[in-house]
Amino acid sequence: MTVKERIAALRARMKETGIDAYLIPTDDFHGSEYVGDYFKCREYISGFTGSAGTLVVTLDEAGLWTDGRYFLQAAKQLSGSGITLMRERQPGVPSIEEYLKTTLKKGETLGFDGRCIMAEYADTLITQLNALGVAVRTDIDLPGAVWEKRPLLSAQAVWPLPVEYAGESSESKIKRVREFLSEKNAQYLLLTSLEDIAWLLNMRGNDVESTPVILSYLLLGQQEIIWYVQEECLSEKIKILLEMQGIKNAPYAQIYEDVKKLPEEASVYYDKAAVNTALVSALPDKVKKIEGVNPTLLFKAKKNPVEVENERKAHIKDGVAVTKFIYWLKK
């Protein structure tokens, strides 16, 4: 299908489901900067292939917001598509929030896939639009419904990162996180940032191009840890290693049902800017929700001596490679 045909198919679904505007970000379910092919809904619908941008489609117009890095590329790729290029932070160009507030009328509905929007941003949209009488649906994946031959979720093999590269065992890291939770009077940490999970478990994968992460979620409690990851990613050796570390594995999407079953007296810590709104919404109402920056973000920012030395070695190798390339290019 052409871009115009894809937008027409999306609008047909919007009419069927009572959606007046649909928002499509670049994010995956984890708020990652770069995403796998399965998550490139914005690219599929709009034809714009840049790594940053948000598409908003209403029943009679469409706009794509992107930053200055992509103005020329987006103008070329959107030409003839019927999609207006919204050059972010340029004079006279409204933000997405401003556009939605002035375009949607009382009684109308905005829709998006809540798995792809972080809770902090979703709350901002919902609060602002609800105040104007505009409803928001976060439970609907319309691009997925019209995407022909959508790529499968990546499920590349997981491998462990040895301590000689990590500089600290996963058991030690987990202990530190549990101490943090005790300080915050929290029983669980809900962790969905792929880089943070990879750091905490000392595991690596290839589910995102040029980023050694594994599509997964983590629910870390004081007594148990559940890693929600695709079964086909785990070899028998990895499963044995996880068992030795006291880490259970469960199907990737099962976390959405499991968090609903948390006891009402439970307390859950999470980073509102790094957990999607669908997952936060699945938490029982009576569960105590504690919001703050992921402890793993701060822990992994402080490099241990082994990491510092390995970064130094990596920069040397990188410098040699660049020098060789420049020499080849000039000759």
Side-chain angles (χ1 to χ4, degrees):
M1 289 194 293
T2 65
V3 169
K4 285 187 175 181
E5 290 171 333
R6 292 169 186 170
I7 292 176
L10 180 66
R11 284 179 173 143
R13 291 283 184 168
M14 289 167 62
K15 291 176 182 178
E16 292 173 6
T17 51
I19 300 295
D20 301 283
Y22 196 85
L23 186 151
I24 309 174
T26 300
D27 290 355
D28 58 13
F29 300 160
H30 308 272
S32 304
E33 182 177 4
Y34 301 105
V35 302
D37 290 342
Y38 174 87
F39 297 102
K40 294 180 179 179
C41 295
R42 185 223 67 216
E43 179 179 322
Y44 175 76
I45 297 294
S46 70
F48 170 61
T49 61
S51 66
T54 301
L55 178 66
V56 176
V57 178
T58 70
L59 295 176
D60 51 16
E61 60 185 17
L64 184 132
W65 279 257
T66 192
D67 61 63
R69 295 172 297 169
Y70 297 107
F71 288 171
L72 295 177
Q73 175 185 343
K76 183 177 181 180
Q77 292 183 326
L78 297 178
S79 178
S81 68
I83 301 172
T84 301
L85 172 59
M86 308 296 275
R87 296 175 171 83
E88 288 181 339
R89 300 181 182 87
Q90 297 301 298
V93 178
S95 66
I96 294 171
E97 297 82 3
E98 291 168 342
Y99 173 80
L100 292 172
K101 286 191 289 184
T102 57
T103 302
L104 291 171
K105 301 177 178 62
K106 185 176 181 179
E108 293 187 330
T109 301
L110 169 70
F112 55 78
D113 185 348
R115 298 171 299 175
C116 295
I117 302 284
M118 297 302 104
E120 186 173 63
Y121 183 54
D123 284 358
T124 298
L125 284 177
I126 292 169
T127 300
Q128 293 183 6
L129 293 176
N130 283 176
L132 300 174
V134 175
V136 179
R137 281 192 62 180
T138 66
D139 62 342
I140 188 164
D141 176 17
L142 292 186
V146 302
W147 192 339
E148 297 178 347
K149 298 180 180 179
R150 184 175 189 172
L152 298 174
L153 275 173
S154 177
Q156 300 296 312
V158 170
W159 76 89
L161 185 71
V163 176
E164 54 262 37
Y165 294 107
E168 182 182 7
S169 68
S170 59
E171 290 91 342
S172 174
K173 294 176 179 180
I174 290 166
K175 181 175 181 290
R176 285 205 279 155
V177 171
R178 282 178 168 152
E179 290 171 352
F180 173 89
L181 292 178
S182 295
E183 293 173 3
K184 298 295 182 180
N185 295 315
Q187 294 171 302
Y188 296 94
L189 169 66
L190 184 57
L191 190 62
T192 67
S193 169
L194 301 185
E195 293 85 356
D196 288 37
I197 293 172
W199 175 86
L200 181 63
L201 300 183
N202 283 348
M203 295 289 178
R204 298 294 187 266
N206 280 317
D207 283 333
V208 180
E209 186 177 359
S210 302
T211 308
V213 294
I214 309 108
L215 286 175
S216 58
Y217 305 91
L218 193 76
L219 186 62
L220 189 157
Q222 291 291 2
Q223 304 301 323
E224 67 174 3
I225 307 177
I226 305 176
W227 190 24
Y228 296 88
V229 60
Q230 297 175 92
E231 178 77 17
E232 54 267 43
C233 296
L234 306 178
S235 66
E236 288 305 313
K237 288 184 178 180
I238 292 292
K239 290 179 181 178
I240 292 171
L241 180 58
L242 292 174
E243 187 176 354
M244 290 172 58
Q245 296 174 337
I247 301 171
K248 298 179 181 178
N249 65 280
Y252 177 59
Q254 186 176 307
I255 189 170
Y256 290 91
E257 294 303 317
D258 282 2
V259 296
K260 294 177 182 178
K261 301 172 185 176
L262 289 173
E264 293 182 350
E265 66 274 11
S267 53
V268 181
Y269 184 98
Y270 60 86
D271 189 336
K272 195 175 180 180
V275 176
N276 71 56
T277 191
L279 199 49
V280 172
S281 298
L283 291 169
D285 291 338
K286 293 186 178 181
V287 163
K288 183 180 180 182
K289 303 171 183 66
I290 306 172
E291 298 173 0
V293 176
N294 279 331
T296 46
L297 180 67
L298 302 177
F299 291 159
K300 70 185 176 73
K302 185 176 180 180
K303 304 303 180 186
N304 60 52
V306 173
E307 290 174 311
V308 171
E309 177 60 17
N310 283 325
E311 283 196 10
R312 188 188 68 82
K313 291 177 180 178
H315 277 291
I316 291 173
K317 290 184 177 182
D318 178 69
V320 170
V322 171
T323 302
K324 285 182 176 180
F325 171 74
I326 293 173
Y327 177 82
W328 172 84
L329 186 65
K330 287 183 176 180
K331 293 295 180 178

